[in-house]
Amino acid sequence: MEKNLKQEQSEIIRVALFGPESTGKTTLAKQLAEHFDTVWAPEYARDYLQEKWDKIAQICDVNDMLPIAYGQIKLENENLSLANKYLFCDTNLMVTKVFSEVYYNFCDPLLDKAARKHKYDLIFLTDIDVPWEKDDLGDKVEGRESVFAVFKQTLIKNNKPFITLSGDKEFRLKKAVSIIDDLEKALKMGFSSLDFVQIYQHEIPLENIQKQLSIFKKGISKTVLVEPAKVSNGILKLSKNDFQQKADFFDANKSTLKLNKFVPASGAASRMFKFLSEFLNDFDIEKESINAYINRKKDSELSIFIVGMNKFPFFEAVYQKLKEVFPDFDNLERDYKNYYFIKLLLSPDYFDFANKPKGVIPFHKYKTHIATAVEEHLHECAYYASSNGVSNLHFTVSEAHQSQFEEIIKAVKSKVEKESGTIINTSYSFQNKSTDTIAVDLKNKPFRDKNDKLLFRPGGHGALIENLNNLDADIIFIKNIDNVIQNHIESIALYKKALAGVLLELQQKVFSYLNEIDNDNLEDLDEIMSFVKNELNIGVNDGFSKYTSENKISYLKELLDRPIRVCGMVKNEGEPGGGPFWIQDSKGVVSLQIVESSQVDLTNANQAEILASATHFNPVDLVCGIKNYKNEKFDLTQFVDHNSGFIVEKTQNGKPLKGYELPGLWNGAMAKWIAVFVEVPLITFNPVKTVNDLLKDPHQPV
């Protein structure tokens, strides 16, 4: 035998099975070779040790490790020349190295060096969740867990691309085949094996990565605005009596419905306190006064914060803590008092508000207690999202923050339930990491961090369409975590229930028409078309009148059989963001959509003028019907406009990058829904974008 530990190079995709004895490596290697119509390299040690036993009745010892290594690599190289696209290796030199170290506390330097150097496109680490089978050649069942841990740590330490395989042999084979198919695609896309494992562990489908990279290269087409939606032209205006009638209609019909309130709440409060964080980073109390800083930075927000400081609901708690930390606090100069107040408010050792989720920040001060946004949502939920004495409230949260939400709800839930006479069921979900998106550099190549790893970023608000899709409800109220006020909850509830009433009336009509279509009632096609155009504001193909009856029915059914959303719109008061517009798609069809300013070509004077002439702002609240006329849940992911995402420019450790954000929850993620816009009063729109918003009247005690 030639004494050579060199691994021959080839374009063949090489997959190694790696793990302790009796973990199914041989079985899987054979199965994979058969599935992919290729060869596999068996374990040389088995024949070698059997021959030794037969000759001198001795089992394996440390002196056998290097001969086994020579024989193993010879087998691998021989089979490599016979392989068809793939070579599956029952074992490799890293296995021999680990056994040598585990059982003999020694590894020959030649073996150690070769084992580290050898490369495989992928390594499957076989788990110990399969029955151990007795082996007379030296392995034993005792200590399998510790031996497996050593195998895994060896792969991690040597930065090898590996995926753990668990389950029975049928499951392992199916999983391994799927992984190998994806591996080949990833390699063709230019990713390394380590990249592929990172993508796999992030649970992001390769086709998503492929689409995102294509979007970066091609760019995203700007939305073509036709005109802004206005009252009587895309936005429904209701009288006070109309609102009451719609709310009453909802109340009369809700007993047969399962309701849910969906609150996106995963965002941190960092933006709320951004100007305070900047102040702490840029201010030196030994060198200038706060007033000088305000003048130097033209920081009116800081001035407003300091003037209104004692009106914040958290003022008293921070003040009491300051007196504990600084016994002579009341005798300090005013600048020092204000400086230390802000410092404790944001300090990780004390209140750490900028790093907490918005939902747990104190929002409102009552005579008896301080209320967070979470508590206010519980109250609201009981007021308008309850049926038969039961209300369901769902928060999308960061996994790290869920316990903070649970702690608040545990403290206040029974009180709210007693006051409202409503049982409130709370649930949580996290933004699925598989919705994260890949970042690229300015040349549209995958961005890599200082450790040469790919960078994935959260996909944005639009990723929550999957969370919404997992809810089981007839009607879902959607409202952002920060849009709650201290007063007028009865009025707020009226408008929310009225929107739900509008939805129910629309649903009844849509469902009635769909049932007529199913029953071959063709007499009302013109009436249905009029309803689609005039009440649902859906653009219709110009050639519809020339369609055959069969095609008309098919087309109308496609337009009507979709989820429905009713959106509350407030008048535009100069807040940043998008709004409702009539847009034209690439096929010339005009429809009503919510459009963000970043989707518009602002270099086009006409488009910029249309954007500026908008009369209404982004939806304050949404009420959604997510079941069809057969009472089946829609798959909401099928109604997303994937061409309406956003490319954003960011930096990572000082290096510029481009990120992709998924179509927003209000706009692109619901672009193919039936959408009806209703004007609602400004009282329903009181978001807390900055902490100073808490000083506004709706957030202050009466």
Side-chain angles (χ1 to χ4, degrees):
M1 171 193 315
E2 182 186 355
K3 299 292 196 263
N4 181 8
L5 293 178
K6 182 180 178 182
Q7 188 184 43
E8 296 294 337
Q9 299 306 302
S10 170
E11 295 299 315
I12 296 294
I13 295 175
R14 204 172 334 212
V15 178
L17 286 302
F18 184 81
E21 288 298 322
S22 195
T23 54
K25 298 191 297 295
T26 302
T27 299
L28 185 58
K30 290 178 180 178
Q31 290 175 316
L32 289 171
E34 182 179 355
H35 177 87
F36 288 100
D37 190 26
T38 187
V39 296
W40 63 288
E43 182 184 11
Y44 177 77
R46 187 157 302 278
D47 290 340
Y48 173 90
L49 294 175
Q50 187 66 58
E51 183 179 345
K52 179 179 179 181
W53 177 262
D54 293 341
K55 284 183 177 180
I56 57 176
Q58 289 184 3
I59 62 171
C60 185
D61 61 42
V62 68
N63 295 316
D64 294 313
M65 296 295 100
L66 201 54
I68 287 173
Y70 286 130
Q72 188 62 53
I73 194 59
K74 185 173 185 291
L75 264 179
E76 181 177 318
N77 288 336
E78 288 173 352
N79 280 281
L80 187 66
S81 63
L82 303 173
N84 169 33
K85 199 174 189 179
Y86 304 97
L87 174 65
F88 298 100
C89 303
D90 181 7
T91 187
N92 64 3
L93 297 199
M94 191 68 78
V95 173
T96 311
K97 164 183 157 63
V98 172
F99 270 115
S100 186
E101 292 171 342
V102 168
Y103 289 105
Y104 310 116
N105 200 29
F106 170 79
C107 182
D108 187 289
L110 287 175
L111 169 57
D112 181 74
K113 182 179 179 181
R116 294 175 186 274
K117 186 177 180 180
H118 285 191
K119 293 182 179 180
Y120 295 87
D121 294 289
L122 188 63
I123 296 172
F124 283 126
L125 174 60
T126 49
D127 204 348
I128 55 173
D129 60 342
V130 293
W132 179 81
E133 296 179 3
K134 181 176 174 56
D135 187 341
D136 291 332
L137 297 178
D139 197 22
K140 51 189 175 182
V141 68
E142 294 83 3
R144 289 183 94 199
E145 291 82 2
S146 59
V147 172
F148 179 79
V150 172
F151 271 83
K152 185 173 182 178
Q153 190 57 40
T154 299
L155 292 174
I156 295 171
K157 181 180 178 181
N158 289 281
N159 198 30
K160 298 297 185 182
F162 78 95
I163 292 172
T164 303
L165 282 181
S166 305
D168 60 33
K169 64 180 182 180
E170 287 79 13
F171 180 81
R172 288 188 184 195
L173 175 61
K174 184 177 179 181
K175 185 176 179 182
V177 167
S178 174
I179 291 170
I180 292 166
D181 286 340
D182 279 347
L183 170 65
E184 183 186 3
K185 295 175 188 174
L187 295 175
K188 286 181 178 178
M189 290 169 64
F191 289 112
S192 70
S193 296
L194 287 171
D195 292 337
F196 171 71
V197 170
Q198 188 185 352
I199 294 168
Y200 176 83
Q201 291 173 342
H202 220 90
E203 300 176 9
I204 302 177
L206 263 180
E207 55 266 28
N208 289 8
I209 301 275
Q210 204 163 22
K211 288 176 184 176
Q212 290 159 20
L213 292 174
S214 176
I215 286 170
F216 283 122
K217 291 176 182 177
K218 294 180 180 178
I220 297 175
S221 299
K222 294 295 186 179
T223 299
V224 178
L225 304 180
V226 176
E227 60 179 326
K230 297 183 178 181
V231 169
S232 301
N233 184 27
I235 299 177
L236 181 64
K237 186 176 180 64
L238 301 176
S239 67
K240 187 174 181 180
N241 286 338
D242 289 334
F243 276 116
Q244 188 63 59
Q245 182 268 321
K246 305 295 184 186
D248 291 343
F249 182 75
F250 168 71
D251 280 334
N253 288 275
K254 68 181 181 181
S255 62
T256 61
L257 303 172
K258 183 177 181 181
L259 309 177
N260 204 312
K261 185 180 180 186
F262 180 84
V263 182
S266 55
S270 52
R271 291 186 183 179
M272 273 183 68
F273 300 96
K274 182 182 178 184
F275 70 94
L276 295 180
S277 298
E278 291 173 348
F279 164 69
L280 291 179
N281 289 333
D282 195 37
F283 177 71
D284 187 340
I285 197 166
E286 302 296 331
K287 294 182 178 180
E288 66 178 333
S289 67
I290 292 179
N291 193 52
Y293 171 88
I294 290 172
N295 291 332
R296 175 167 64 86
K297 303 287 287 189
K298 296 180 173 56
D299 194 344
S300 59
E301 285 185 292
L302 180 59
S303 179
I304 293 169
F305 179 87
I306 290 172
V307 170
M309 190 181 287
N310 64 339
K311 293 183 179 180
F312 286 111
F314 47 76
F315 173 80
E316 194 62 31
V318 179
Y319 176 55
Q320 293 302 324
K321 179 58 68 175
L322 283 165
K323 291 199 292 184
E324 289 179 25
V325 176
F326 305 100
D328 63 339
F329 179 78
D330 287 335
N331 297 321
L332 294 177
E333 294 179 11
R334 181 173 298 278
D335 264 14
Y336 279 89
K337 286 181 178 179
N338 292 336
Y339 175 71
Y340 287 132
F341 184 95
I342 296 170
K343 200 169 181 65
L344 256 69
L345 189 70
L346 302 189
S347 170
D349 295 327
Y350 293 97
F351 292 88
D352 198 25
F353 275 3
N355 292 315
K356 290 185 175 180
K358 273 188 182 182
V360 307
I361 301 294
F363 264 33
H364 302 139
K365 182 179 180 180
Y366 291 91
K367 291 180 180 179
T368 57
H369 69 294
I370 304 294
T372 62
V374 168
E375 180 179 341
E376 300 290 21
H377 275 284
L378 259 73
H379 281 287
E380 276 200 15
C381 195
Y383 259 87
Y384 62 77
S386 63
S387 174
N388 301 313
V390 176
S391 192
N392 301 292
L393 178 57
H394 184 88
F395 293 102
T396 65
V397 299
S398 163
E399 192 168 358
H401 294 148
Q402 181 175 338
S403 60
Q404 296 180 55
F405 282 75
E406 291 174 333
E407 186 178 335
I408 291 171
I409 289 172
K410 183 179 179 181
V412 303
K413 183 166 172 275
S414 59
K415 175 176 174 288
V416 175
E417 288 180 334
K418 185 176 180 181
E419 291 175 353
S420 64
T422 303
I423 296 171
I424 304 175
N425 300 316
T426 55
S427 59
Y428 306 89
S429 64
F430 315 127
Q431 186 167 316
N432 194 332
K433 66 178 183 178
S434 68
T435 62
D436 287 358
T437 60
I438 193 168
V440 298
D441 61 23
L442 298 186
K443 294 182 179 179
N444 297 320
K445 301 294 184 184
F447 184 91
R448 296 185 182 277
D449 63 18
K450 59 184 179 182
N451 298 315
D452 201 37
K453 287 186 174 293
L454 300 172
L455 178 66
F456 297 103
R457 303 178 68 256
H461 208 233
L464 299 181
I465 195 69
E466 295 199 8
N467 302 63
L468 188 67
N469 198 38
N470 290 330
L471 294 185
D472 181 22
D474 298 297
I475 302 292
I476 299 177
F477 295 85
I478 304 181
K479 190 174 189 182
N480 276 336
I481 186 68
D482 61 341
N483 187 22
V484 286
I485 61 174
Q486 179 159 350
N487 312 306
H488 310 297
I489 193 168
E490 292 86 358
S491 296
I492 297 294
L494 170 67
Y495 295 116
K496 302 303 172 286
K497 291 195 289 186
L499 294 178
V502 172
L503 174 66
L504 288 179
E505 288 181 345
L506 284 173
Q507 267 192 337
Q508 288 184 2
K509 206 162 187 180
V510 168
F511 291 177
S512 172
Y513 284 141
L514 286 168
N515 281 313
E516 284 187 25
I517 290 173
D518 278 357
N519 293 327
D520 294 326
N521 185 349
L522 308 183
E523 296 178 3
D524 296 330
L525 291 186
D526 290 338
E527 178 187 325
I528 297 173
M529 177 53 68
S530 176
F531 170 73
V532 165
K533 292 170 64 176
N534 300 323
E535 294 191 44
L536 300 184
N537 295 308
I538 296 175
V540 177
N541 287 342
D542 291 337
F544 176 79
S545 60
K546 299 178 182 178
Y547 287 4
T548 64
S549 294
E550 183 179 350
N551 286 340
K552 282 182 177 180
I553 290 171
S554 177
Y555 181 65
L556 285 173
K557 189 166 185 177
E558 180 186 341
L559 294 181
L560 290 173
D561 196 13
R562 306 190 223 170
I564 304 175
R565 58 176 174 154
V566 175
C567 311
M569 297 288 187
V570 295
K571 289 183 178 178
N572 193 329
E573 297 289 316
E575 295 281 353
F581 292 87
W582 292 96
I583 72 161
Q584 186 177 63
D585 67 15
S586 58
K587 297 180 180 179
V589 176
V590 175
S591 64
L592 195 60
Q593 297 289 344
I594 297 165
V595 181
E596 298 288 344
S597 56
S598 58
Q599 295 175 268
V600 181
D601 181 7
L602 297 179
T603 64
N604 182 309
N606 174 259
Q607 292 291 287
E609 184 180 347
I610 294 173
L611 181 69
S613 64
T615 58
H616 289 73
F617 189 65
N618 262 348
V620 177
D621 292 275
L622 283 79
V623 185
C624 304
I626 63 168
K627 291 185 178 178
N628 65 16
Y629 69 110
K630 297 179 180 179
N631 202 36
E632 302 164 332
K633 277 181 60 180
F634 285 106
D635 177 2
L636 303 183
T637 64
Q638 299 301 307
F639 298 88
V640 177
D641 178 6
H642 295 285
N643 296 318
S644 61
F646 307 88
I647 294 176
V648 295
E649 293 191 7
K650 301 287 183 179
T651 59
Q652 178 84 359
N653 296 324
K655 294 170 64 177
L657 61 83
K658 294 195 291 185
Y660 172 69
E661 293 190 2
L662 299 172
L665 187 60
W666 305 154
N667 47 339
M670 295 181 173
K672 298 177 184 178
W673 291 39
I674 293 172
V676 173
F677 300 153
V678 180
E679 183 181 86
V680 291
L682 278 170
I683 192 175
T684 63
F685 184 55
N686 293 281
V688 180
K689 301 304 180 187
T690 166
V691 65
N692 286 346
D693 287 333
L694 292 175
L695 298 175
K696 295 178 179 178
D697 287 344
H699 295 287
Q700 289 291 308
V702 177

